[in-house]
Amino acid sequence: MLDLSTLNPQQRQAVETIRGPVLILAGAGTGKTRVITFRIAHMVRHGIAPGNILGVTFTNKAAREMQERVTKLLPKRKTVDGQKPDRPTICTFHSLCVKILRQHIDKLGYKKNFVIYDESEQLAAVKKILSAISLKGEKVDPGAVLGLLSKFKNGGENSKLFVDPNLRALATHVAKRYESALHACNAVDFDDLILLTLRLFREHPEALEACRAKYQFVMVDEYQDTNASQFELVHSLTREHRNLCVVGDDDQSIYGWRGAEIANLLNLEEHFPEVKVIKLEQNYRSTSTILNAANAIIKNNTRRRGKTLWSGKGAGAKILLNTYGTDEDEAREVVAAIEFKRLAYRVPWSDCAILFRTNQQSRPLETALRTASVRYHLIGGQSFFDRREIKDFLAFLKMFINPHDDISLLRIANVPARGLSDVTMERLLGASHERKCSVFTAMKNPLVTTTFQKQTRESIEAFVAFVERVQGELQTTANEFCLQKWADDFLDETGYFAELRRLEKTPEAAESRVKNLKELMATMDGVGNAPAERLENFLEGITLDSNREEEKENTSDAVTLITMHSCKGLEFPHVFVVGLEDGLLPHSRSKVEGTLDEERRLFYVAVTRAMQTLSISHCGGRKKYGQVLPCQPSPFLKELPSELVEHSDAKSKTPVAQESGKNLFAAMRSAIVQ
């Protein structure tokens, strides 16, 4: 049920302003997701067709959450003549581009069953190119080259600053070969999804007109995180009908290093002079003390849209500032503070989060948590989809959908071993380069295969026959065809399950890998009718949702360990921000690159994650390569108003009030009794 009376006046204004350009400046914790979902439901209630509404965000988790909330707010519509009722399109930028390209990519010379390469497949493509270039003994990091290719695609000219000229020249040289290699395999990467859509719009105006006609009302979440390509995509869709609503907060723009352009939000009036700006400043998350500190920090950034967060939750506790001798002392004492909260005040571990600037800072924290037997959840550990058996399985599936996908074919051609050695595959790869065709096409060419010895030639022919047979099974139109059983059968037939069990050191480890595969296969028969369509949708969902492991809700009682860059959008009752030292925050690079404002915004984001209590700490020394190096406090600490901060030394010397002492002992007694 859509009840607008539950919104505050600014939220309601944002929901009810549905035509023309609108900028909703949504400060941290001001209920922006509620506003977006209410606004979409309000548009439908006022006669706008759901199919004409597009909501775009950055993560699959956010898109799923919005879709679920909008569905609950909309009246239920019946299926008519087998056709499901239209509903708003709520998806990520990449998902939107896949939808568009699946319809129109043939206009650009690709087939509609293109595959999307993930990072490991992109890396494999770059490695192949670098090996072909053969740089006279020079060692080049393929990951660095791939990172630059992505930056060049997304960041325009700005991305070429602060890059080693030699590496930049190499990346530029590799870029053309990389694009050709992907095109030959009918593959695209994540960056291509948006860039190819833009190229489609430029070269085929009729495709753009079709998209404009469909998406007549566009909303973009986290607009401050958009890069140049995403801005152009949004602008292309909306510059005629002008029904664009962007939601964002320039004070939380922390992804400049990956191409995000804060100017897209700050300079919106240049493109939409008639834009209506609505500020959401009432915070429903934090205490006044935490918000006053955040406001004081961020006002030191001069290039921003002014806003002041406020809360009706009361002042709350002061911010606790701690100084420790070393990072190991810091880790031990933070864990002790978390345990004290649990034992004295029955605060569950899951209410606590430790925030840090760089991944390297997690090591002493993890050690201290393990020593104290405290459960924790490190966001950013190995993804389920990075496991060897999962990557092998997905490579099989991608190859069956598109056997000309060289990266997938090369990964599993000899897995399990079937007489196609590395030397054989290298020769086949060389033949494919000479003939400008895929490896699979080379494997089917008698002029190529007759150059191999009889046994190897038979292995190649057997592999081609296997691929074409299993591929053929997918061509059935029977809706009852079960992909799960089909996948189980071909993995069993190839001996893959047996290979997993043979290679693992223990039966438990082997069964764990087999179980991982079985769990994934159980999700294959989802959206779509024909088996091939269902399989394409399954692969697309996995590739576009590559962060799903990190986004998974942590349902167990565990402390969250997370970087400041990963914590945006999250909130925790008790937050510990560690490592507030010059060189860490602000990072030493920020002085060279001129990104001090972004480092300050990162601190602001960390502070505004806290709901009830906030502890900040820094060290006199931090261990690096086995020795403790001296550290200086972050200059950002001076920006915290002194009246909002309590130093731990001072607190330890202050006598506990009689009433507070009674309450503490009562809580401890209760915890022990239970």
Side-chain angles (χ1 to χ4, degrees), residues 383-387 390-391 394 520 542 545-546 548-549:
S383 164
F384 176 82
F385 294 93
D386 283 338
R387 292 171 184 166
I390 301 299
K391 282 193 166 294
L394 294 178
L520 185 58
I542 286 173
D545 204 1
S546 59
R548 63 170 62 188
E549 189 73 6

Side-chain angles (χ1 to χ4, degrees), residues 408-428:
S408 297
L409 184 145
L410 290 169
R411 180 181 180 96
I412 51 77
N414 206 40
V415 176
R418 51 170 67 88
L420 299 175
S421 66
D422 287 349
V423 173
T424 299
M425 296 315 296
E426 279 176 25
R427 281 181 61 189
L428 286 167

Side-chain angles (χ1 to χ4, degrees), residues 284-303:
Y284 294 91
R285 173 188 298 158
S286 309
T287 64
S288 295
T289 295
I290 291 166
L291 294 180
N292 290 341
N295 289 330
I297 293 163
I298 205 63
K299 75 178 182 185
N300 290 289
N301 279 0
T302 52
R303 190 167 175 253

Side-chain angles (χ1 to χ4, degrees), residues 61-76:
K61 181 185 176 187
R64 282 193 294 268
E65 184 186 343
M66 283 184 198
Q67 189 73 70
E68 288 165 7
R69 287 168 71 164
V70 167
T71 301
K72 287 176 184 173
L73 292 171
L74 290 175
K76 290 190 176 176

Side-chain angles (χ1 to χ4, degrees), residues 636-652:
F636 292 157
L637 292 175
K638 295 175 184 173
E639 297 174 5
L640 291 168
S642 57
E643 67 274 13
L644 303 178
V645 176
E646 187 167 39
H647 293 262
S648 56
D649 289 348
K651 185 177 182 183
S652 65

Side-chain angles (χ1 to χ4, degrees), residues 449-465:
T449 55
T450 50
T451 64
F452 289 90
Q453 290 184 348
K454 181 172 182 273
Q455 194 172 354
T456 304
R457 186 168 67 250
E458 288 173 352
S459 296
I460 294 170
E461 289 166 354
F463 178 73
V464 168

Side-chain angles (χ1 to χ4, degrees), residues 322-592:
N322 297 285
T323 305
Y324 299 110
T326 68
D327 50 344
E328 291 178 348
D329 296 336
E330 178 184 51
R332 191 170 53 252
E333 292 302 321
V334 165
V335 172
I338 290 170
E339 279 297 80
F340 180 75
K341 284 182 184 291
R342 184 176 71 89
L343 295 171
Y345 298 107
R346 302 175 70 186
V347 172
W349 285 328
S350 55
D351 278 4
C352 301
I354 306 173
L355 276 54
F356 42 89
R357 174 65 177 83
T358 66
N359 284 310
Q360 288 84 353
Q361 289 170 258
S362 75
R363 187 200 56 76
L365 293 164
E366 289 191 73
T367 301
L369 287 160
R370 287 177 177 180
T371 301
S373 300
V374 174
R375 280 195 300 274
Y376 68 91
H377 170 57
L378 174 64
I379 294 188
Q382 188 194 29
S383 164
F384 176 82
F385 294 93
D386 283 338
R387 292 171 184 166
R388 186 186 77 240
E389 67 276 15
I390 301 299
K391 282 193 166 294
D392 286 346
F393 176 58
L394 294 178
F396 271 115
L397 298 183
K398 287 178 181 179
M399 183 194 62
F400 292 138
I401 286 284
N402 175 13
H404 305 293
D405 171 4
D406 284 356
I407 302 298
S408 297
L409 184 145
L410 290 169
R411 180 181 180 96
I412 51 77
N414 206 40
V415 176
R418 51 170 67 88
L420 299 175
S421 66
D422 287 349
V423 173
T424 299
M425 296 315 296
E426 279 176 25
R427 281 181 61 189
L428 286 167
L429 184 58
S432 74
H433 282 316
E434 285 172 21
R435 289 166 173 75
K436 295 185 169 54
C437 66
S438 69
V439 172
F440 190 69
T441 301
M443 294 175 100
K444 294 175 68 175
N445 187 335
L447 295 176
V448 174
T449 55
T450 50
T451 64
F452 289 90
Q453 290 184 348
K454 181 172 182 273
Q455 194 172 354
T456 304
R457 186 168 67 250
E458 288 173 352
S459 296
I460 294 170
E461 289 166 354
F463 178 73
V464 168
F466 162 68
V467 172
E468 290 183 334
R469 178 176 57 76
V470 179
Q471 245 196 319
E473 293 168 3
L474 281 177
Q475 302 313 310
T476 175
T477 54
N479 291 351
E480 65 274 11
F481 183 93
C482 179
L483 284 176
Q484 181 181 356
K485 183 179 184 308
W486 168 81
D488 197 286
D489 287 347
F490 84 69
L491 286 179
D492 193 42
E493 179 195 339
T494 60
Y496 189 81
F497 288 134
E499 180 87 342
L500 277 183
R501 293 185 173 105
R502 187 178 66 79
L503 291 176
E504 287 301 323
K505 291 179 181 175
T506 66
E508 294 79 18
E511 288 314 307
S512 173
R513 290 193 182 276
V514 171
K515 185 183 171 192
N516 288 338
L517 285 170
K518 300 274 188 183
E519 283 179 3
L520 185 58
M521 285 189 283
T523 67
M524 291 177 72
D525 291 286
V527 182
N529 295 315
E533 183 189 356
R534 269 181 278 145
L535 184 55
E536 281 181 7
N537 290 334
F538 169 74
L539 286 171
E540 202 169 275
I542 286 173
T543 309
L544 291 174
D545 204 1
S546 59
N547 293 324
R548 63 170 62 188
E549 189 73 6
E550 277 120 18
E551 291 176 352
K552 234 185 230 179
E553 294 295 330
N554 180 32
T555 50
S556 65
D557 183 20
V559 173
T560 298
L561 274 183
I562 188 169
T563 66
M564 294 177 190
H565 278 107
S566 299
C567 74
K568 191 153 73 76
L570 303 177
E571 59 183 31
F572 307 92
H574 307 282
V575 168
F576 297 81
V577 180
V578 300
L580 251 290
E581 294 140 32
D582 197 11
L584 275 179
L585 191 74
H587 198 280
S588 52
R589 283 197 309 267
S590 65
K591 294 165 187 174
V592 179

Side-chain angles (χ1 to χ4, degrees), residues 119-324:
E119 191 175 343
S120 68
E121 291 160 332
Q122 291 172 254
L123 205 57
V126 170
K127 283 178 182 174
K128 272 172 58 181
I129 294 163
L130 290 174
S131 66
I133 294 172
S134 67
L135 298 164
K136 295 178 184 174
E138 283 184 49
K139 285 195 174 179
V140 179
D141 178 7
V145 174
L146 180 61
L148 274 188
L149 294 183
S150 180
K151 275 188 177 180
F152 291 175
K153 286 181 179 183
N154 286 310
E157 287 305 306
N158 290 343
S159 63
K160 297 187 180 181
L161 300 173
F162 312 111
V163 174
D164 176 76
N166 293 328
L167 187 57
R168 186 167 67 219
L170 175 63
T172 305
H173 180 61
V174 167
K176 288 181 182 176
R177 292 184 176 220
Y178 174 76
E179 295 307 322
S180 299
L182 263 63
H183 198 167
C185 299
N186 198 39
V188 300
D189 66 21
F190 269 74
D191 300 319
D192 288 333
L193 292 173
I194 294 179
L195 296 177
L196 286 173
T197 304
L198 292 175
R199 190 180 132 206
L200 174 75
F201 286 172
R202 285 192 295 269
E203 296 177 8
H204 301 275
E206 73 282 4
L208 173 57
E209 284 308 315
C211 291
R212 281 179 182 160
K214 178 168 177 59
Y215 303 124
Q216 294 175 24
F217 293 83
V218 177
M219 294 186 71
V220 184
D221 187 22
E222 302 284 11
Y223 193 66
Q224 76 282 347
D225 294 338
T226 53
N227 60 32
S229 304
Q230 289 157 343
F231 168 79
E232 188 182 340
L233 180 70
V234 170
H235 200 242
S236 298
L237 289 172
T238 60
R239 65 171 165 252
E240 299 297 328
H241 59 60
R242 318 291 283 178
N243 294 320
L244 170 65
C245 173
V246 301
V247 186
D249 179 9
D250 50 310
D251 290 336
Q252 296 186 72
S253 178
I254 57 174
Y255 300 123
W257 49 277
R258 67 181 188 201
E261 296 191 9
I262 192 173
N264 292 346
L265 190 146
L266 293 176
N267 302 338
L268 192 62
E269 286 86 349
E270 289 181 14
H271 306 278
F272 296 91
E274 74 275 33
V275 67
K276 186 165 189 174
V277 181
I278 301 168
K279 295 182 183 181
L280 306 182
E281 296 173 296
Q282 183 176 355
N283 175 287
Y284 294 91
R285 173 188 298 158
S286 309
T287 64
S288 295
T289 295
I290 291 166
L291 294 180
N292 290 341
N295 289 330
I297 293 163
I298 205 63
K299 75 178 182 185
N300 290 289
N301 279 0
T302 52
R303 190 167 175 253
R304 60 184 288 262
R305 289 183 181 263
K307 71 188 79 65
T308 304
L309 296 182
W310 62 276
S311 165
K313 287 184 173 285
K318 285 190 175 185
I319 296 166
L320 194 60
L321 182 61
N322 297 285
T323 305
Y324 299 110

